[in-house]
Amino acid sequence: MKSRLSEREIEIFETMPVPRAVAALAVPTVVSQIIAIVYNIADTWYIGQLNDTGMMAAVTLVFPAFLMLSAVANLFGIGGASLL
């Protein structure tokens, strides 16, 4: 069966030291979390302009749960990719 890994993936999994390989795999996850945080700041600012405290409270309460679910999804996504 022919390998479907690219040259970069082969380099990460076979030749890189473990700390560098973990960093190479973690950077996209960190970037996606930062984008989610910036998106939430934009949502909070927009909803804050509506002067509705109920909506602001909902955004404030839901975002940490959303961030945790996103982190768990990234954990299993990267772990599953490494397992494959």
Side-chain angles (χ1 to χ4, degrees), residues 61-80:
L61 290 173
V62 168
F63 180 68
F66 171 74
L67 197 58
M68 287 295 179
L69 287 173
S70 176
V72 169
N74 285 330
L75 173 73
F76 285 114
I78 290 175

Side-chain angles (χ1 to χ4, degrees), residues 48-67:
Q49 298 296 315
L50 299 175
N51 293 324
D52 187 353
T53 57
M55 288 182 178
M56 185 61 86
V59 169
T60 303
L61 290 173
V62 168
F63 180 68
F66 171 74
L67 197 58

Side-chain angles (χ1 to χ4, degrees), residues 19-65:
R20 283 192 63 212
V22 169
L25 294 172
V27 168
T29 302
V30 171
V31 170
S32 71
Q33 294 289 47
I34 290 171
I35 290 170
I37 290 170
V38 169
Y39 182 70
N40 182 37
I41 291 171
D43 284 346
T44 304
W45 178 80
Y46 178 76
I47 291 172
Q49 298 296 315
L50 299 175
N51 293 324
D52 187 353
T53 57
M55 288 182 178
M56 185 61 86
V59 169
T60 303
L61 290 173
V62 168
F63 180 68

